[in-house]
Amino acid sequence: GNTRIRGLVIHRFSSHGVILQGGSGIVLECNYIGVNAAGANALGNGGIGVYVNNTPGATLLRNLISGNGSYGVYLGGGNANGNVLRGNFIGTNESGNAAIPNDQTGVLVESAANTTVGGTQAADRNVISGNGGYGVAVNGASAGTVVRGNYIGVASNGNSALGNNGAGVSVAGANGIQIGGNDAGAGNVISGNTGSGLILQNNAQNTLVARNIIGLNAAAMAKVGNSSYGIYLPNGNNSVIGGNGIGNTIAGNGQDGIFISGSSTNNAIYGNFIGVNQSGSSNLGNSMFGIHISLAPGNIIGDAGNGRGNLIAGNGADGIYVTGESATGNAIRANSIRDNGDLGIDLGNNGVTPNDAGDPDAGPNGLQNFPTVAAVGSNGSQTQFSGTLNSLPNRTFRLDFYSSPGCDPSGYGEGRVYVGWRDVNTNASGHASFNFTLPIGVSAGWVVAATASDLSAGGQTSEFSQCR
């Protein structure tokens, strides 16, 4: 323990470049592992670049780890806890502007709790790009692992794609992982990868994804898209993507901004910029849907709490698309949704879904009926809404009201500005009338629209109503 290994060139061995096994407090600093002494060409070790097995508290600092025949860095064995990786270039040359791939994943954390990959200062940043598999993978009993402040899939300048050949980051079967975080400087740039930016899979639980830029350059001003989804949840549960003041910027990706599928449930998406950057530039959209929920129940997109609505704009298809009969109980509230290629909210990918008497049908979000707004009046500081809702009997519904400078070409709403909400109760015939005054004005000449969320069915939300 407490050994420092510094300034070596370690290449062309038939097995791993470095093995840390046992001991603690080891520092591996400023080594070239798998490349020549100029850091320009691969001279790979046959196995893993750095293999950390049952060794806690090691620090990998400012190493170049590229060109190896397996993973760049592996941390595992059950007792490889509390290890730190800072300032390394993994999968690139010494300048970080060209790929020298490790054949598999750049950094694999496997049953290694409380690992720190990166940090909040520029000097802590790892450049993990150009690898033959994922950029970073966190698997199994690795609770408390934090991946923050890194460039994953881009060059060291933060502008050019230097993609990993797969997802930028994968979290699989792990609980309590942070990708980014609450602190300033914690966000990663996860862009330019040939798969998705981030995957939560194999029942990944309680992941916090915050402050990341996914699909744009480090300045969030130009597209450096991941080829597939920005964030993909084939089986990720109970996770929070964004938050009040810590949202992610998810734009420029080759498919959906966020895709939640299968059995993924109880995920919350708050305060993100999806299809735009934080200044609202709308020419950075994801190619397909802003958010796509397929078959997955019980997720939350936005909320009326402070700073928890998402801005979803400029995407190539629907802002939010929900499909599949099992995709019920998905709440969509208090977001700013505008300027997407198709509907603001689409249940079933069939365009506007008309209301039906009594609302008895099955389908995504129960094909929940939307309200009918009959009249609107605003004096600049408050707005009165009146109308009706026809749906299932003897239930409580939350009505959310929005305003926009114009109507969607379909004649149904989007929702640039969130105005507020009120609850109504349907009678035994499934009918409710409303006449509410909300303490927010609507700009002169703007139109309004509303949604209804069935609080008895997990808050599942309708499409937007017709404009009024």
Side-chain angles (χ1 to χ4, degrees), residues 210-226:
R211 292 187 180 271
N212 302 287
I213 296 171
I214 302 176
L216 302 179
N217 66 358
M221 295 300 293
K223 293 183 179 182
V224 189
N226 298 290

Side-chain angles (χ1 to χ4, degrees), residues 119-443:
T120 59
Q121 304 300 314
D124 299 331
R125 177 189 304 136
N126 300 287
V127 178
I128 307 171
S129 300
N131 295 286
Y134 298 139
V136 179
V138 183
N139 299 343
S142 298
T145 290
V146 177
V147 180
R148 60 188 177 191
N150 304 288
Y151 285 179
I152 303 173
V154 295
S156 58
N157 62 13
N159 291 318
S160 307
L162 199 61
N164 298 288
N165 190 26
V169 179
S170 166
V171 179
N175 192 333
I177 308 304
Q178 290 190 27
I179 309 302
N182 291 291
D183 299 329
N188 304 281
V189 178
I190 309 174
S191 301
N193 298 288
T194 63
S196 298
L198 168 64
I199 298 180
L200 305 182
Q201 58 187 328
N202 296 358
N203 198 31
Q205 298 269 347
N206 300 304
T207 308
L208 172 64
V209 183
R211 292 187 180 271
N212 302 287
I213 296 171
I214 302 176
L216 302 179
N217 66 358
M221 295 300 293
K223 293 183 179 182
V224 189
N226 298 290
S227 297
S228 189
Y229 309 109
I231 300 177
Y232 178 31
L233 285 75
N235 187 7
N237 304 296
N238 305 304
S239 294
V240 178
I241 299 173
N244 181 9
I246 58 170
N248 304 279
T249 301
I250 307 166
N253 296 290
Q255 296 191 46
D256 309 325
I258 300 175
F259 181 30
I260 303 174
S261 69
S263 59
S264 297
T265 189
N266 294 324
N267 298 290
I269 302 173
Y270 294 141
N272 301 286
F273 300 84
I274 302 173
V276 295
N277 60 16
Q278 294 189 26
S279 68
S281 177
S282 59
N283 64 345
L284 300 172
N286 300 290
S287 295
M288 294 295 292
F289 307 104
I291 299 175
H292 178 185
I293 299 176
S294 175
L295 304 173
N299 299 284
I300 299 172
I301 302 172
D303 193 21
N306 184 36
R308 294 203 287 181
N310 302 281
L311 172 55
I312 305 169
N315 299 288
D318 300 317
I320 300 172
Y321 165 43
V322 186
T323 185
E325 287 201 9
S326 61
T328 57
N330 293 293
I332 304 167
R333 301 194 56 237
N335 303 287
S336 175
I337 304 175
R338 60 171 174 81
D339 301 325
N340 296 288
D342 291 313
L343 296 181
I345 301 171
D346 189 0
L347 305 182
N349 196 30
N350 56 354
V352 175
T353 303
N355 286 342
D356 52 352
D359 208 4
D361 39 8
N365 272 7
L367 297 179
Q368 170 62 47
N369 281 356
F370 47 77
T372 298
V373 180
V376 181
S378 181
N379 64 6
S381 61
Q382 59 184 15
T383 305
Q384 183 176 18
F385 298 88
S386 62
T388 60
L389 174 67
N390 180 268
S391 190
L392 296 170
N394 302 313
R395 297 214 186 189
T396 300
F397 293 86
R398 183 150 294 172
L399 308 186
D400 288 293
F401 297 91
Y402 302 82
S403 66
S404 299
C407 199
D408 182 83
S410 66
Y412 289 72
E414 291 192 303
R416 180 184 288 263
V417 176
Y418 182 60
V419 179
W421 63 272
R422 289 289 187 271
D423 288 346
V424 298
N425 296 301
T426 53
N427 61 21
S429 300
H431 183 79
S433 298
F434 60 86
N435 190 346
F436 302 131
T437 298
L438 297 175
I440 297 177
V442 171
S443 299

Side-chain angles (χ1 to χ4, degrees), residues 21-72:
Q21 186 159 297
S24 63
I26 297 170
V27 177
L28 188 67
E29 181 181 14
C30 296
N31 302 285
Y32 281 16
I33 302 170
V35 296
N36 65 357
N41 299 109
L43 292 175
N45 299 290
I48 298 165
V50 180
Y51 177 53
V52 182
N53 181 42
N54 282 315
T55 302
T59 299
L60 277 63
L61 181 64
R62 297 192 301 274
N63 301 283
L64 175 60
I65 307 169
S66 300
N68 297 288
S70 182
Y71 310 116

